[in-house]
Amino acid sequence: MQLTSFFKSAATLITATCLSLSAATAAQADTFPSRPINLVVPFNAGGGVDAYARALAAGARDLIDVPVVVVNKPGAGGLTGAQSVATARPDGYTLLLTSGGSFLLNTMLNASPVDMFENFQFVSQIGQLSTALMVPANSPYKSANELIAALQENPGKLRWAHSGRGGFHYIAGRAFLESNNLTAQDVPFKGGSPARAALAGAQTDFGFMGIQQARGFGELIHPLALVADERDGIMQDIPTFKELNIPFVNIGSPVVVMAPTKTAADVVAQLNQYLEQITATTTFAELIEKQGTAALYAQPAVIEQKMLDMRTASTPVITQLTGQVQ
Amino acid sequence: MDILVGFATVLSDPWILVAIALASIVGVVIGATPGLTAAAAIAMLLPVTYHVPPLYALAFLYVIGKSGRFGGSIAAILFNTPGTSASAATQLDGYPLAVQGKAGKALKVATVSSVIGDTIGDLILIFGVAYVAQLALKLGPPEYFAIYAMAFVVIGSVIGKSMLKGLASCLLGILVALIGLDSVSGYARFTFDSFQLMNGIGLVPVMIGIFVLGEVFAQMDSMKSGQDTVLHSTAPQSAEDSQLSWMEYRPCLPVAIRSAFTGGLIGMLPGLGSAVAAFVAYATEFRRARNPEQWGKGALEGIAAPESANNAVSGPSMVPLLTLGVPGSTIGAILMGVFLIHGIEIGPTLFLTSRELIFSLFATGLLGIFCYGLIGYFGSGFVGRLIMRVPPNIIYPMIFLTAFVAAYANRSSLFDVLVMCVFGLVGYVMRKLELSTAAFVIAFVLARGAEESLRQALLLSDSGALVFFERPVALLFFALGLGSVGYRMYGLYRDKRKAAALHKTTGNAGESC
């Protein structure tokens, strides 16, 4: 008898818990977001991509009732963090903010457990990172054409610095050399800052690195041409390869926010709307501009198409690279 | 005398002083807690810094970085678990002292040495910044490799009795370091298609595994065979054991000063970092020590050398950070982020555009050293006495637990916990086979950077390996490394001859009797 009553009360308790839980989930679904949103950055705090996340979190404060929490999960060139989001519960509370170009090229270069298009859906683009051809300030080459002439005269003799072979700066540089039938020796450095230091100290003849890296280094580094169709929003006096009529492949890196594939469409739409609003705020724009990179908003469909185009454009270079090693 | 202007700015603002005091406390606590790294704490605090003036934010973070490096020694000494990777060398002599019941004394030596190293480092920064900046710009991969090569040479001094086993440990360390993405070609090596291994093996789980778990396993083993297994001394502690007299510290003073310059030099080269500085200083001082038999068993000099060197990195590492935008550590990278967020352009012109801010920051650094010095000196006796009252059967599991927490928290990765366990076994087997764990860890720390700089240097060279002869600075470092090997060999030869001569005379004396 006592035992039965125990079971009864236990059953009641369990039912009640289940009911209240389901009620809670229903309430949650009604008012997304109802708890903090985790924004995973697959790089260390203090870097360029991280700054976008921090600016986003700061801009979200006035618009969204719940806090946006930046979580740094560095490792494997950004794939560790990406994988953690891909396998997270697709409820819209765990999102990935990353450099789209580096993510894409990394998965193309290495056997990767995650795929940009299969495991994720795009929420929106919030920024753009561009790379530029740069030389040391005391370099004899004063323009991109002079450098090309020197490269033609001394095939394979000149050296160039970049931030690592998985990154979009390297692929952009390789694509530039290929398009102009030039050869040069690349020297990979671990990250953008050491590459810039090597260029500033004239350890290499030229380099491909983020255009924002030239800010404050005017005495030591001269950017010659930007890998883009249009000039940079901040460094406006640097011509693009397109204006100079020099063949190139337009490889940049859109900064994107992505959610796991199975996230509900209305949640993604809601998030996209928030991001559109946040990127339009002055808080966000100012924070991003201070670090020298650009804020750029684009709808999910637009950015997905951009990334697909970039995959097509970089496939020849990647095939050549992976072919080299085999 | 920009630094005086800096001091005037800082001292006239009580809120900055509050920030410095607070940062010292936060830094020591974070550094002392294995698993809580200063970098993680700074990253958490980063959003706050958007809303305060740049000097407040920078001073706060800079001082946390300094006091955190010191705080790391507390966990290393008390629990044999480095609070930060920079304090890994400190545990070699610090923990044996704690076992002897002299934790308080060890902590005081660490405090005084950290303060000396940090102050010398900051003075190098303040008075030499212009020259150092010029020098840093000229140093490229060939010079880096030369320094790594010199650092590799010093492993010889920790190798122990058997040269062959020492070299084997060293090669094992290099092999483990090679796991992961090759930083030059970008391709995976020794990853066995494991995604987790692509990232490489982390220093923190390896160190905790080898030094803490390996030690625990070895202890358990000796317990089984009925040997003495006391982990911490239960002997009643006399007040003397947590005090530090001038006579005791006097032999440490030259060690601390020399190590500060070693650390300062390494600090100027971004990427080498505090851990390398600590190991190089430890090995260099061990080589010149008058009491080598005490090293590794609780020599005060063995704490003074790494603690002075790892803190001396702090100041000079600001030079490449501020002038070249190359951060030497995670904390450095975050500091750079703060500059950028506040719209201050880092680069060669920084000292022209923001001179006052920079020198005020340097002034806060010196005040921060003073602050954590006070905390460390007066707090260490108390902490030391407290920890001695805890019985070994509580301390033991606590160390074990902190090991797991520390391994996980460093990168919030369960894989790292697995790595730690594996290296616990590796450490145990190495102890059984009498391989040198210290040589293993130092080789592991140095290998990746050495390989990268060697390959970069060769890529940059028109004349292959001859590039090292074309660069005077690189040549100088090679000469220093070879010189120290030569000096050691000469020393061994001389000792042998002396011993032989002594043997001869005593032999003759015996005959005449």
Side-chain angles (χ1 to χ4, degrees):
Chain A
M1 189 62 199
Q2 257 181 349
L3 206 65
T4 343
S5 68
F6 170 77
F7 274 123
K8 259 187 192 161
S9 53
T12 327
L13 198 69
I14 290 169
T15 326
T17 321
C18 287
L19 277 175
S20 59
L21 270 180
S22 53
T25 21
Q28 248 172 22
D30 285 342
T31 54
F32 176 84
S34 58
R35 55 191 173 88
I37 297 174
N38 287 322
L39 195 57
V40 175
V41 176
F43 302 101
N44 271 322
V49 179
D50 179 67
Y52 274 99
R54 307 276 169 191
L56 208 59
R61 211 162 293 156
D62 312 325
L63 282 170
I64 315 180
D65 293 335
V66 299
V68 172
V69 185
V70 179
V71 183
N72 296 91
K73 277 203 176 158
L79 295 184
T80 307
Q83 199 202 17
S84 78
V85 177
T87 52
R89 191 183 300 181
D91 53 8
Y93 290 104
T94 311
L95 304 171
L96 177 71
L97 184 149
T98 190
S99 153
S102 295
F103 184 18
L104 175 71
L105 298 166
N106 232 322
T107 52
M108 289 171 79
L109 270 172
N110 289 297
S112 156
V114 280
D115 183 89
M116 188 175 209
F117 304 100
E118 259 176 44
N119 302 102
F120 291 99
Q121 52 177 317
F122 291 88
V123 180
S124 33
Q125 176 180 1
I126 58 160
Q128 174 75 30
L129 299 170
S130 307
T131 189
L133 169 65
M134 302 188 194
V135 292
N138 59 4
S139 166
Y141 322 116
K142 301 290 172 218
S143 71
N145 281 314
E146 282 179 41
L147 178 71
I148 291 172
L151 281 161
Q152 280 163 344
E153 273 170 43
N154 311 292
K157 292 272 183 232
L158 269 59
R159 295 188 181 83
W160 63 291
H162 57 83
S163 60
R165 286 202 181 149
F168 76 96
H169 303 288
Y170 170 65
I171 305 291
R174 270 301 287 257
F176 155 76
L177 292 170
E178 302 284 337
S179 318
N180 295 282
N181 289 318
L182 302 168
T183 50
Q185 176 62 57
D186 74 308
V187 185
F189 287 85
K190 214 172 184 174
S193 306
R196 174 175 63 187
L199 193 67
Q203 312 269 353
T204 64
D205 301 297
F206 64 103
F208 273 87
M209 46 200 79
I211 183 71
Q212 78 281 359
Q213 294 243 63
R215 292 224 311 177
F217 278 74
E219 276 181 15
L220 295 172
I221 290 177
H222 286 163
L224 296 181
L226 185 73
V227 179
D229 291 339
E230 282 164 29
R231 287 196 180 201
D232 183 64
I234 294 155
M235 304 279 276
Q236 288 178 353
D237 46 349
I238 313 300
T240 65
F241 276 109
K242 194 177 185 184
E243 299 174 36
L244 296 171
N245 272 325
I246 298 171
F248 76 110
V249 181
N250 190 358
I251 292 175
S253 190
V255 180
V256 293
V257 175
M258 293 188 287
T261 321
K262 286 183 184 156
T263 316
D266 56 333
V267 169
V268 173
Q270 175 76 64
L271 285 167
N272 176 32
Q273 200 191 327
Y274 282 141
L275 288 176
E276 187 170 8
Q277 286 169 351
I278 296 168
T279 45
T281 59
T282 43
T283 321
F284 181 80
E286 272 176 14
L287 282 172
I288 289 301
E289 205 162 290
K290 273 181 186 170
Q291 69 151 353
T293 52
L296 182 78
Y297 170 81
Q299 294 282 348
V302 177
I303 174 62
E304 183 158 15
Q305 193 52 49
K306 266 193 214 174
M307 294 314 303
L308 285 167
D309 289 348
M310 189 174 151
R311 184 162 73 170
T312 319
S314 46
T315 303
V317 185
I318 298 275
T319 327
Q320 212 202 5
L321 268 174
T322 43
Q324 247 177 18
V325 97
Q326 279 151 7
Chain B
M1 280 284 99
D2 299 281
I3 188 65
L4 295 180
V5 180
F7 266 114
T9 314
V10 174
L11 290 174
S12 58
D13 188 338
W15 285 110
I16 292 192
L17 296 177
V18 171
I20 295 171
L22 205 64
S24 307
I25 297 167
V26 172
V28 170
V29 170
I30 288 169
T33 316
L36 262 188
T37 60
I42 290 179
M44 278 189 271
L45 294 169
L46 194 60
V48 182
T49 60
Y50 290 172
H51 308 286
V52 297
L55 181 59
Y56 286 51
L58 291 169
F60 194 69
L61 300 181
Y62 185 49
V63 172
I64 284 190
K66 280 181 177 296
S67 52
R69 277 194 183 91
F70 157 69
S73 67
I74 297 176
I77 291 170
L78 295 180
F79 302 122
N80 204 21
T81 309
T84 57
S85 58
S87 51
T90 308
Q91 74 193 47
L92 296 177
D93 278 282
Y95 183 64
L97 278 170
V99 172
Q100 293 160 28
K102 293 180 184 164
K105 196 191 291 289
L107 289 172
K108 282 208 167 73
V109 173
T111 310
V112 174
S113 310
S114 291
V115 168
I116 291 175
D118 222 334
T119 310
I120 291 179
D122 271 14
L123 293 178
I124 295 176
L125 168 69
I126 291 163
F127 295 106
V129 70
Y131 309 101
V132 176
Q134 284 299 314
L135 185 72
L137 198 58
K138 291 208 178 77
L139 301 182
E143 285 77 18
Y144 275 65
F145 178 68
I147 290 169
Y148 275 113
M150 188 179 79
F152 256 111
V153 165
V154 299
I155 294 183
S157 46
V158 297
I159 253 176
K161 281 174 211 137
S162 160
M163 174 79 100
L164 201 65
K165 282 182 176 173
L167 284 176
S169 325
C170 199
L171 284 176
L172 195 63
I174 294 173
L175 199 66
V176 173
L178 292 185
I179 296 174
L181 285 183
D182 167 9
S183 60
V184 175
S185 72
Y187 296 110
R189 292 190 298 199
F190 303 127
T191 57
F192 307 101
D193 285 334
S194 153
F195 170 68
Q196 303 274 19
L197 282 177
M198 251 170 79
N199 213 3
I201 302 281
L203 173 65
V204 172
V206 165
M207 278 193 319
I208 298 173
I210 295 250
F211 289 121
V212 186
L213 285 194
E215 181 66 36
V216 168
F217 291 152
Q219 292 273 354
M220 274 169 15
D221 200 48
S222 54
M223 200 168 358
K224 225 172 70 185
S225 53
Q227 289 168 8
D228 187 20
T229 56
V230 177
L231 197 69
H232 272 84
S233 167
T234 42
Q237 194 198 13
S238 63
E240 210 178 79
D241 283 343
S242 58
Q243 295 305 319
L244 179 68
S245 71
W246 164 236
M247 284 309 285
E248 282 176 309
Y249 195 74
R250 208 168 64 175
C252 297
L253 190 65
V255 171
I257 292 173
R258 274 195 306 267
S259 301
F261 282 98
T262 308
L265 178 72
I266 289 171
M268 291 169 202
L269 302 161
L272 289 170
S274 305
V276 174
F279 278 122
V280 169
Y282 184 87
T284 315
E285 291 305 326
F286 174 63
R287 196 165 41 78
R288 359 178 6 143
R290 292 207 189 93
N291 51 347
E293 70 286 349
Q294 283 175 21
W295 283 59
K297 290 172 193 145
L300 294 184
E301 293 91 332
I303 298 175
E307 274 307 306
S308 167
N310 72 24
N311 274 88
V313 167
S314 167
S317 74
M318 292 296 280
V319 179
L321 174 79
L322 297 175
T323 60
L324 292 177
V326 184
S329 62
T330 320
I331 299 173
I334 297 171
L335 270 179
M336 219 167 93
V338 175
F339 275 104
L340 290 174
I341 287 291
H342 285 279
I344 303 164
E345 283 177 11
I346 281 186
T349 49
L350 182 68
F351 280 88
L352 299 176
T353 53
S354 315
R355 199 173 179 84
E356 202 178 317
L357 172 76
I358 297 301
F359 277 95
S360 301
L361 179 62
F362 295 167
T364 65
L366 284 171
L367 290 172
I369 298 172
F370 178 70
C371 267
Y372 80 69
L374 285 182
I375 298 173
Y377 198 82
F378 292 105
S380 57
F382 171 72
V383 174
R385 276 194 301 275
L386 188 78
I387 211 81
M388 283 311 128
R389 286 211 193 106
V390 184
N393 57 352
I394 292 179
I395 290 246
Y396 211 143
M398 250 170 68
I399 293 177
F400 208 70
L401 195 69
T402 31
F404 277 84
V405 173
Y408 175 76
N410 185 43
R411 288 196 294 200
S412 4
S413 152
L414 267 179
F415 180 73
D416 278 357
V417 177
L418 185 71
V419 169
M420 175 193 73
C421 295
V422 170
F423 279 91
L425 285 176
V426 171
Y428 169 70
V429 173
M430 285 181 77
R431 277 180 179 76
K432 279 271 144 187
L433 299 175
E434 289 182 333
L435 292 169
S436 164
T437 48
F440 173 87
V441 168
I442 300 175
F444 176 78
V445 170
L446 297 175
R448 249 176 260 176
E451 187 215 0
E452 191 180 308
S453 54
L454 172 64
R455 288 170 66 187
Q456 280 168 353
L458 294 178
L459 283 174
L460 286 169
S461 157
D462 287 321
S463 43
L466 288 176
V467 66
F468 299 109
F469 294 94
E470 293 163 359
R471 314 271 290 222
V473 180
L475 208 57
L476 175 77
F477 282 116
F478 275 120
L480 279 174
L482 287 176
S484 78
V485 171
Y487 182 76
R488 191 170 147 78
M489 281 164 67
Y490 170 71
L492 284 173
Y493 170 73
R494 195 185 47 197
D495 289 351
K496 247 187 193 159
R497 262 188 54 175
K498 257 188 198 161
L502 202 70
H503 186 71
K504 224 178 179 178
T505 45
T506 47
N508 289 343
E511 265 168 37
S512 65
C513 273

